[in-house]
Amino acid sequence: MANGVSKTNLKEVFGENVFNDEVMRERLPKNVYKALRKTMDEGLPLDPSVADVVANAMKDWAIEKGATHYTHWFQPMTGITAEKHESFLNTVTEGKAITEFSGKSLIKGEPDASSFPSGGIRATFEARGYTVWDSTSYAFLKEDDGGITLYIPTAFCAYTGEALDKKTPLLRSMEAVSEQALRVLRLFGNKTAKRVFATVGAEQEYFLIDKDLYLKRKDLVFTGRTLFGAKPPKGQELEDHYFGSLKERVAAFMKEIDIELWKMGIPVKTKHNEVAPAQHEIAPIFENANIATDHNQVIMDTLKRVANRHNLACLLHEKPFAGVNGSGKHDNWSLATNDGQNLFDPGKTPHENAQFLIFLSAVIKAVDEYAELLRASAANTGNDHRLGANEAPPAIVSMFLGDQLTGILENIENGNGNEKREREYLRIGVNTLPPLPKDATDRNRTSPFAFTGNKFEFRMVPSSASVANPNVVLNTAVAEVLKEFADRLEKADDFDAEVNEIVRETIKNHKRIIFNGDGYSEDWVKEAEKRGLKNIKNTVDAIPAWISDKSINLFTKHGVFTEVELRARYEIKLEEYIKHINIEARTMVDMVKKQIVPAVIREITDVSKSINEIRLAIPNVDVEAQLELLNDLQVNLNSLRKETLELEKELENAHSFNGDIYEKAAMFRDKVAEKMKQVRIYGDKLETIVDENKWPFPSYEKLLFYV
Ligand code: ADP
Ligand code: MG
């Protein structure tokens, strides 16, 4: 175990618990290794005879390393991961354990997973779903107090073939974007690339608070966020936490996190304090989108597990505390060939620049045309409190390119057909781009989708969710535009002229999506409206984009989702929203009735007693202070009670509604969640006037500053 480790040999530790290329090369016969490698690198189907050999080698390796169990690890549509552990024990002969792990068990598992959400695809009484080995993501060992277990990344499907998980569509979308990107690359003369990978580096933000304090807050335990909490005297205004030195306890936690993750082959690189007090970030080096998504799930799980060991609680919620920054996940995304060429690297020659401009145009168009889907891919209940709030990008999708690149594109737009001034303008395929410094003008943190030198950074993504969906949308939308471009370029007589025309048209038709200014300003909200950009403020409004005609056309055309799969996701997301708001509302009512009201009554009783006692001692004394306080307490208590009773009624109403699920979710948003805001006002007001020793749960002050 990592506890107490003082010196770490990074090279030895990294990947120690991974059945990786080195282990495979060492333990598999050459032909088997080659066949497996081909599947991994080129996406070719795996020969079943190969699977048996791999399974056996994997089992021997895992057992030598102390593993007793294996699990088919998958990502159901809930957003977290699921696992069912099986021991390697096969039979017992004359009291001796015989272990076995066949190719069949490696390739396919049948978890009794009937209660994972399926959005009606798979009625719970009928055939179960099954898991399929994803040989492109390395199996790894996880060590915890439960022992050592072999984790096999898998996809999860219904017997009818539909994807019941997040991995399957992600793999399909990677396939789609690879196919179209290769077509474009071939046109630019690239004959060697075999595959194009979507690459992802997900920066993960989180809060770390004291575990004992955490356990005293039902809201944190049940909902992941505080439902009450008056503002502390100090918030994040001094910005003294951002990149500040790490507190010892946090540093010890982070060190252990690094080691645990390195062992599992997860290339975490950066760690620092974030803007809000008690907020931190961890970022890995980018990998292909599938592996990066798996790894982000492991990172989230490890953060929680290791925090526990340090008597800390790790909060992954998007907005655990009102009034300070929320947490997001910056989804850094790019496309790269299997031989390592980053397609969003502007390059140095006119030829490379032209290719870059085509890929850049594809993203500009994709983001503009599929903005609503991108927004939907980043929607969850927690993010509704974050997008548009403190230091979070607004709910409007727009793109930051920096002034320099925007200027270049505008020149291309204007340059065509303007003979006289042609010389001043960049001629694609002839002139080179000026060197683009990374983060050209500034680091615009307010943009939800920023080009940062050689990759894009999608910043709307919620901290607690899988990064699968945002990348599925990005990959597929970009695949679609690349397909249009490839279709045109393949037919073009004058290739350079057509490249020029495509870039020019794209900037002309889609420049409304480009915005380099302050995304947090009110002016931008108005400006965006003028440009016709949507400002989709909450999850319920965002979800229908999944089943729009546009979405169904896009995803079915590229084989990423079937219509049935999309409708299932639409339903699951609405259901999930309803469940979350329901739990929050019930927790709130519980806290009011069983914690806040009794505490306030104790305070009222004490103040009343004090008035009586003082009057006994000094009959004509002025007790104005106590009377005012008493009145204040009583008035707010009355309002709190009234609003809470109304909240209960709204909750009941919303529950008994039996109509369309979208309308039901809208009721939870408009009636229940709205009423919760009212309840909170009085709860928080009372917190500021009640004796802090009587307040029934730890304040923001303690939660945020007492780590
Ligand atoms: P910054 O901190 O300026 O946002 P970094 O270079 O530190 O940028 O990278 C942030 C994240 O982006 C890291 O996870 C990094 O690995 C990832 N990243 C860098 N290049 C790429 C790329 N080509 N594709 C995907 N992610 C990338
Ligand atoms: Mg960043």
Side-chain angles (χ1 to χ4, degrees):
M1 290 261 83
N3 299 29
V5 172
S6 52
K7 277 191 189 162
T8 308
N9 184 332
L10 175 54
K11 280 190 179 167
E12 271 173 29
V13 165
F14 190 82
E16 178 188 297
N17 286 343
V18 186
F19 192 73
N20 57 18
D21 193 68
E22 198 186 327
V23 181
M24 288 185 209
R25 200 193 296 259
E26 208 178 276
R27 291 182 174 248
L28 296 173
K30 234 189 183 141
N31 59 331
V32 171
Y33 169 78
K34 272 196 178 154
L36 183 58
R37 208 56 256 182
K38 243 184 149 44
T39 300
M40 296 176 72
D41 297 339
E42 293 165 37
L44 300 178
L46 187 75
D47 184 338
S49 68
V50 167
D52 265 329
V53 184
V54 179
N56 202 46
M58 215 186 251
K59 180 204 74 178
D60 288 346
W61 169 81
I63 288 178
E64 278 166 37
K65 293 227 152 227
T68 52
H69 289 70
Y70 69 90
T71 180
H72 276 202
W73 180 64
F74 60 102
Q75 298 164 28
M77 291 183 277
T78 49
I80 48 162
T81 58
E83 49 199 72
K84 177 186 169 200
H85 296 197
E86 305 269 358
S87 84
F88 286 114
L89 202 60
N90 185 40
T91 46
V92 177
T93 311
E94 293 169 4
K96 275 189 104 168
I98 310 281
T99 59
E100 193 190 84
F101 187 49
S102 65
K104 223 174 92 200
S105 339
L106 168 63
I107 289 181
K108 195 165 166 180
E110 298 193 37
D112 182 11
S114 47
S115 47
F116 288 108
S118 66
I121 287 178
R122 173 182 44 100
T124 38
F125 56 83
E126 51 164 345
R128 302 179 297 218
Y130 64 94
T131 52
V132 198
W133 178 35
D134 169 17
S135 63
T136 64
S137 180
Y138 294 136
F140 60 93
L141 299 174
K142 187 166 126 183
E143 298 175 342
D144 58 21
D145 291 344
I148 301 176
T149 306
L150 174 68
Y151 276 66
I152 302 161
T154 61
F156 181 43
C157 304
Y159 266 99
T160 42
E162 282 92 1
L164 293 172
D165 68 345
K166 304 214 163 181
K167 184 190 268 283
T168 309
L170 178 62
L171 289 169
R172 293 173 183 161
S173 73
M174 288 171 70
E175 204 58 56
V177 77
S178 176
E179 185 186 330
Q180 302 305 332
L182 280 177
R183 283 181 65 199
V184 174
L185 283 179
R186 294 284 182 262
L187 289 163
F188 277 93
N190 182 323
K191 295 193 180 74
T192 49
K194 288 188 171 154
R195 225 182 127 81
V196 169
F197 285 100
T199 54
V200 168
E203 301 168 67
Q204 174 75 49
E205 293 179 330
Y206 61 94
F207 280 83
L208 211 52
I209 64 169
D210 185 88
K211 179 78 184 286
D212 294 333
L213 298 175
Y214 166 85
L215 288 175
K216 290 189 179 126
R217 300 264 335 195
K218 295 188 196 200
D219 46 7
L220 285 177
V221 172
F222 293 136
T223 75
R225 75 177 179 109
T226 53
L227 300 172
F228 293 100
K231 283 204 172 70
K234 177 181 185 238
Q236 65 186 43
E237 58 275 62
L238 296 178
E239 306 220 324
D240 49 356
H241 190 254
Y242 191 45
F243 282 39
S245 66
L246 300 174
K247 288 178 189 157
E248 195 87 349
R249 190 171 170 198
V250 173
F253 158 84
M254 286 184 174
K255 175 176 156 194
E256 204 171 315
I257 281 285
D258 280 345
I259 294 170
E260 292 267 316
L261 292 172
W262 286 337
K263 278 187 182 177
M264 292 184 277
I266 298 172
V268 283
K269 182 167 173 65
T270 315
K271 50 184 176 186
H272 63 78
N273 287 348
E274 260 300 333
V275 178
Q279 194 185 27
H280 310 278
E281 180 183 298
I282 184 166
I285 296 170
F286 70 93
E287 301 173 278
N288 89 41
N290 176 38
I291 293 172
T293 303
D294 281 359
H295 281 174
N296 180 252
Q297 296 292 150
V298 181
I299 290 174
M300 289 196 285
D301 173 70
T302 310
L303 285 171
K304 290 202 161 235
R305 266 187 317 118
V306 174
N308 233 340
R309 286 186 211 147
H310 291 257
N311 205 38
L312 292 164
C314 171
L315 309 178
L316 295 172
H317 193 281
E318 290 71 24
K319 195 75 177 176
F321 305 101
V324 297
N325 278 8
S327 297
K329 200 130 50 185
H330 291 179
D331 187 70
N332 293 272
W333 178 93
S334 186
L335 293 174
T337 60
N338 60 310
D339 43 20
Q341 186 196 359
N342 180 350
L343 302 183
F344 293 104
D345 211 330
K348 292 197 176 70
T349 63
H351 180 81
E352 285 169 343
N353 289 168
Q355 183 184 302
F356 161 73
L357 288 170
I358 278 291
F359 279 99
L360 177 71
S361 299
V363 179
I364 295 171
K365 183 167 182 180
V367 172
D368 188 26
E369 295 218 323
Y370 297 99
E372 285 168 56
L373 266 177
L374 277 171
R375 172 67 184 90
S377 78
N380 76 6
T381 326
N383 234 4
D384 285 359
H385 300 280
R386 173 179 165 257
L387 293 182
N390 267 306
E391 279 261 321
I396 307 160
V397 174
S398 70
M399 222 170 150
F400 169 84
L401 292 182
D403 292 337
Q404 195 182 2
L405 195 52
T406 308
I408 290 167
L409 290 172
E410 280 169 356
N411 277 354
I412 294 169
E413 183 197 355
N414 300 328
N416 214 14
N418 192 339
E419 300 295 330
K420 246 194 238 158
R421 296 172 58 194
E422 184 111 4
R423 270 159 193 266
E424 294 169 33
Y425 298 113
L426 177 95
R427 290 203 22 227
I428 297 177
V430 179
N431 300 5
T432 50
L433 292 177
L436 297 173
K438 200 166 176 254
D439 295 331
T441 39
D442 58 358
R443 294 186 50 90
N444 187 329
R445 295 179 58 95
T446 66
S447 176
F449 199 98
F451 179 68
T452 45
N454 60 3
K455 61 175 160 77
F456 295 90
E457 192 168 333
F458 184 27
R459 301 186 177 123
M460 277 185 168
V461 179
S463 53
S464 71
S466 159
V467 291
N469 279 342
N471 290 303
V472 166
V473 172
L474 260 172
N475 293 342
T476 317
V478 171
E480 168 60 18
V481 181
L482 287 174
K483 180 179 182 313
E484 288 167 25
F485 290 0
D487 289 346
R488 278 177 67 172
L489 290 168
E490 277 168 6
K491 283 192 217 113
D493 297 326
D494 182 343
F495 182 76
D496 281 356
E498 189 68 354
V499 167
N500 199 78
E501 186 51 24
I502 287 174
V503 175
R504 208 181 65 81
E505 262 178 47
T506 305
I507 184 72
K508 183 163 169 274
N509 297 335
H510 300 285
K511 68 174 159 206
R512 64 169 192 167
I513 199 75
I514 298 167
F515 177 65
N516 296 326
D518 179 3
Y520 295 172
S521 69
E522 258 315 299
D523 288 351
W524 169 232
V525 176
K526 288 190 203 118
E527 165 70 17
E529 198 181 336
K530 271 197 221 137
R531 294 190 189 185
L533 300 177
K534 289 247 169 80
N535 185 359
I536 302 171
K537 290 192 176 136
N538 58 73
T539 299
V540 181
D541 282 345
I543 293 172
W546 286 109
I547 54 163
S548 67
D549 288 346
K550 201 170 177 178
S551 163
I552 294 170
N553 283 338
L554 172 74
F555 287 121
T556 54
K557 183 167 169 189
H558 292 276
V560 172
F561 286 117
T562 63
E563 184 171 344
V564 172
E565 288 170 341
L566 285 169
R567 293 197 183 280
R569 275 151 188 83
Y570 166 82
E571 266 190 32
I572 288 167
K573 293 197 170 298
L574 288 171
E575 258 168 32
E576 193 179 82
Y577 180 86
I578 292 170
K579 282 180 191 160
H580 282 157
I581 301 293
N582 179 44
I583 293 170
E584 286 192 350
R586 288 179 54 187
T587 305
M588 191 166 221
V589 170
D590 185 276
M591 288 171 82
V592 169
K593 287 187 166 172
K594 302 218 284 253
Q595 297 187 302
I596 300 180
V597 169
V600 178
I601 290 177
R602 275 197 295 280
E603 180 79 337
I604 287 176
T605 311
D606 281 357
V607 179
S608 309
K609 271 190 197 150
S610 127
I611 295 173
N612 290 338
E613 279 170 24
I614 290 179
R615 275 181 174 157
L616 274 181
I618 316 171
N620 284 323
V621 71
D622 180 359
V623 286
E624 191 190 333
Q626 284 95 323
L627 286 174
E628 254 178 34
L629 175 59
L630 200 55
N631 191 54
D632 225 7
L633 286 165
Q634 190 59 53
V635 167
N636 282 297
L637 180 64
N638 292 344
S639 300
L640 177 69
R641 187 180 147 75
K642 176 176 155 280
E643 297 293 345
T644 306
L645 291 176
E646 284 176 19
L647 173 60
E648 281 186 292
K649 255 201 213 109
E650 294 293 3
L651 193 55
E652 221 175 281
N653 264 345
H655 261 300
S656 55
F657 178 77
N658 271 327
D660 179 66
I661 185 157
Y662 175 83
E663 275 165 44
K664 187 165 181 154
M667 279 175 87
F668 271 86
R669 175 194 60 195
D670 298 334
K671 302 292 179 181
V672 181
E674 276 308 308
K675 195 40 101 178
M676 286 173 64
K677 291 183 189 160
Q678 295 304 310
V679 174
R680 177 164 187 161
I681 289 173
Y682 298 105
D684 287 0
K685 177 82 214 265
L686 283 161
E687 187 182 342
T688 63
I689 52 177
V690 169
D691 173 2
E692 69 177 4
N693 298 311
K694 287 202 190 84
W695 197 249
F697 34 79
S699 63
Y700 268 28
E701 189 178 309
K702 288 192 177 134
L703 295 170
L704 289 169
F705 293 98
Y706 286 26
V707 175

